[in-house]
């Protein structure tokens, strides 16, 4: 007899990027040569001074349990960093350190969303939002982002989606998978609409340092009345090329700090102290590495956008941040984004269908350009060849 699982265990999906990566690895194991443009992971190594701080912490015995909310020194460094980059006061007592920023999504949704509560989620958007809302029995409500509007949040549409049952609105700027970023005026309009509806906000700012403009991107948390209702999420994975260290954080409104700390105590206890020491070195150390990586991503973005737009049938806007592009395929004779990315995989390029990020991603595919320029150039060459085959025989 099959013992029953909790129904919620059957409601949580995996992640498209990870499945495509696994398929690409399988093909490689059989001898295929694949250019990987599917995973959103920096190809740079973690900067040496950060690695050394982590190693030194292990050598000096920082290998025991630590405080659940995070080391005071790291929480202080994070509070100062967030205050300086967002232009708002941040109390270190409201900073909780987590094993990757993804945990902030999980913990926030678990702490806020009851069965039947509605959560407004950008679509296409990072898949963990919808997956976690489904897991807890909440109702995901899609906020469509359209290429023809530059993947912006349409305020009038947002207004129509807010109901008495709306508990949480999730924003992601700069965004995965679109690369779009919200302007201050847009954030002000969103704040105005949501303040009157009494909803919580999760502002996913994991790409805050990968923004290709002189000033840092604005945060909704810094607007009047918003800090009290906004969980600000950020982390180290993208900014410092530290994906495998698993280090992220949230700045939580005061009433959430106790419950989320208790969830941490009962869930994973704490983030390893040597990882947190590396985090302190990242934030307190010289920031040239961040500027250098940002400049390199920007050059790659320009290369990829230009290369894609030169392929007949593809259209690609130039994103303001993150390291993704979401080109449109409406000029091609294919029945779905997935059949196109399946075709690309056969042609030696792993990319993701836009539908891995929600149904409004149909008609698009996502490329991560956090990859060496020679690989990007080869990827573009293979995409062009696949599209030419389509035009010829499609
Ligand atoms: C939008 C967004 N949020 C959060 C994360 C999670 O980052 P991590 O858990 O590695 O800190 C990612 C990673 O891909 C992301 O793209």
């Amino acid at each position: 007899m099959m013992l029953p699982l909790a129904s919620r265990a059957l409601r949580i999906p995996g992640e498209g990027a990870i499945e495509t990566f696994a398929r690409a690895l399988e093909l490689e194991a059989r001898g295929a040569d694949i250019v990987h443009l599917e995973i959103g992971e920096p190809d740079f190594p973690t900067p040496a001074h950060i690695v050394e701080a982590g190693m030194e912490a292990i050598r000096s015995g920082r290998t025991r349990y630590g405080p659940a909310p995070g080391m005071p020194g790291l929480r202080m460094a994070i509070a100062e960093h967030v205050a300086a980059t967002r232009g708002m006061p941040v109390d270190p007592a409201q900073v909780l350190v987590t094993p990757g920023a993804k945990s902030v999504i999980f913990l926030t949704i678990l702490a806020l969303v009851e069965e039947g509560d509605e959560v407004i989620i950008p679509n296409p958007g990072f898949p963990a939002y919808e997956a976690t809302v489904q897991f807890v029995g909440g109702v995901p409500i899609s906020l469509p982002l359209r290429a023809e509007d530059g993947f912006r949040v349409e305020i009038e549409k947002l207004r129509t989606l807010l109901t008495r049952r709306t508990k949480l609105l999730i924003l992601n700027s700069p965004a995965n998978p679109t690369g779009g970023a919200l302007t201050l005026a847009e954030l002000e309009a969103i704040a105005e609409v949501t303040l009157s509806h009494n909803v919580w906000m999760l502002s996913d700012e994991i790409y805050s340092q990968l923004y290709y403009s002189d000033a840092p991107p604005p945060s909704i948390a810094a607007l009047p009345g918003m800090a009290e209702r906004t969980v600000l999420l950020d982390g180290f994975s993208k900014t410092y090329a530290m994906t495998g260290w698993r280090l992220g954080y949230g700045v939580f409104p005061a009433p959430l700090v106790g419950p989320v700390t208790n969830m941490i105590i009962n869930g994973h206890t704490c983030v390893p102290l040597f990882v947190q020491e590396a985090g302190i070195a990242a934030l307190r150390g010289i920031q040239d590495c961040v500027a250098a990586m940002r400049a390199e991503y920007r050059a790659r973005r320009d290369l990829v956008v230009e290369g894609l737009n030169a392929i007949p049938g593809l259209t690609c806007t130039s994103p303001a941040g993150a390291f993704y592009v979401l080109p449109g395929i409406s000029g091609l004779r294919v029945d779905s984004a997935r059949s196109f990315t399946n075709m690309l995989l056969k042609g030696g390029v792993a990319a993701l269908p836009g539908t891995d990020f929600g149904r409004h991603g149909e008609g698009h595919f996502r490329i991560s350009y956090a990859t060496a320029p020679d690989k990007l150039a080869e990827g573009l060459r293979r995409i062009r060849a696949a599209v030419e085959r389509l035009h010829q025989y499609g």
Side-chain angles (χ1 to χ4, degrees):
M1 190 190 75
M2 169 81 173
L3 293 174
L5 306 185
S7 56
R8 80 176 79 85
L10 305 173
R11 284 198 303 258
I12 188 155
E15 194 180 316
I18 289 165
E19 284 158 22
T20 300
F21 183 55
R23 278 180 59 206
L25 290 184
E26 231 176 79
L27 289 174
E28 280 175 331
R30 283 194 256 131
D33 169 39
I34 308 284
V35 177
H36 289 273
L37 304 181
E38 75 278 44
I39 298 281
E41 173 159 46
D43 62 320
F44 298 107
T46 304
H49 68 284
I50 301 175
V51 172
E52 188 43 42
M55 307 262 280
E56 179 47 33
I58 293 180
R59 280 194 293 267
S60 62
R62 305 286 276 148
T63 51
R64 297 176 174 272
Y65 291 135
M71 281 168 51
L74 180 57
R75 295 169 81 198
M76 179 59 82
I78 291 169
E80 287 172 14
H81 168 77
V82 175
T85 48
R86 276 56 167 205
M88 61 189 243
V90 178
D91 180 353
Q94 289 175 229
V95 173
L96 299 178
V97 177
T98 52
K102 228 180 208 175
S103 289
V104 175
I105 300 171
F106 206 70
L107 292 166
T108 300
I109 291 173
L110 248 61
L112 291 180
V113 179
E114 311 254 25
E115 238 171 80
D117 282 349
E118 294 178 357
V119 180
I120 300 179
I121 298 172
N123 187 324
F126 187 50
Y129 310 141
E130 185 163 331
T132 313
V133 169
Q134 279 170 357
F135 179 63
V136 301
V139 183
I141 305 288
S142 292
L143 177 61
L145 308 179
R146 300 179 208 283
E148 54 273 29
D149 305 329
F151 298 116
R152 318 220 70 85
V153 168
E154 203 198 312
I155 302 297
E156 284 319 307
K157 180 69 188 173
L158 173 60
R159 218 186 281 279
T160 65
L161 297 179
L162 285 158
T163 73
R164 276 184 298 110
R165 290 181 301 280
T166 311
K167 188 68 167 286
L168 173 67
L169 166 64
I170 300 179
L171 293 181
N172 175 211
S173 176
N176 178 8
T178 67
L182 295 163
T183 63
L184 181 60
E186 285 163 337
L187 292 174
E188 283 169 345
I190 294 169
E192 193 197 315
V193 173
T194 49
L195 272 170
S196 57
H197 275 82
N198 252 341
V199 298
W200 292 96
M201 193 81 73
L202 171 60
S203 181
D204 183 339
E205 303 178 13
I206 191 85
Y207 297 102
S208 62
Q209 297 295 304
L210 297 178
Y211 184 59
Y212 308 117
S213 180
D214 295 336
S219 170
I220 198 155
L223 299 181
M226 295 309 289
E228 296 87 321
R229 57 179 62 223
T230 302
V231 176
L232 186 159
L233 167 161
D234 204 340
F236 295 74
S237 288
K238 317 288 173 171
T239 307
Y240 297 102
M242 290 178 72
T243 44
W245 295 74
R246 308 312 300 133
L247 188 59
Y249 56 86
V251 181
F252 288 85
L256 275 169
V257 172
V260 173
T261 302
N262 288 341
M263 289 162 73
I264 291 173
I265 289 172
N266 288 289
H268 61 264
T269 305
C270 65
V271 172
L273 293 174
F274 51 88
V275 171
Q276 297 191 57
E277 292 284 7
I280 294 177
L283 287 176
R284 296 275 187 223
I286 186 154
Q287 300 300 301
D288 296 14
C289 53
V290 179
M293 288 190 274
R294 185 191 300 120
E296 179 60 30
Y297 288 134
R298 190 190 175 129
R300 294 177 187 181
R301 174 198 67 172
D302 294 343
L303 175 101
V304 166
V305 169
E306 201 188 310
L308 288 167
N309 280 322
I311 300 174
L314 298 185
T315 47
C316 184
T317 52
S318 183
F323 41 52
Y324 308 105
V325 285
L326 194 69
I329 54 171
S330 59
L332 301 180
R333 268 179 291 163
V334 279
D335 34 321
S336 67
R338 180 161 308 275
S339 59
F340 182 63
T341 53
N342 284 343
M343 228 183 65
L344 289 182
L345 193 57
K346 282 195 201 117
V349 184
L352 301 179
T355 40
D356 275 359
F357 302 87
R359 69 192 161 87
H360 293 284
E362 188 50 274
H364 295 83
F365 67 108
R366 192 196 77 169
I367 283 179
S368 161
Y369 55 83
T371 296
D374 58 326
K375 294 210 178 108
L376 288 173
E378 177 58 19
L380 286 168
R381 204 190 56 72
R382 293 182 188 187
I383 293 170
R384 174 182 277 279
V387 167
E388 278 169 1
R389 279 195 296 277
L390 246 184
H391 286 312
Q392 233 175 335
Y393 309 111

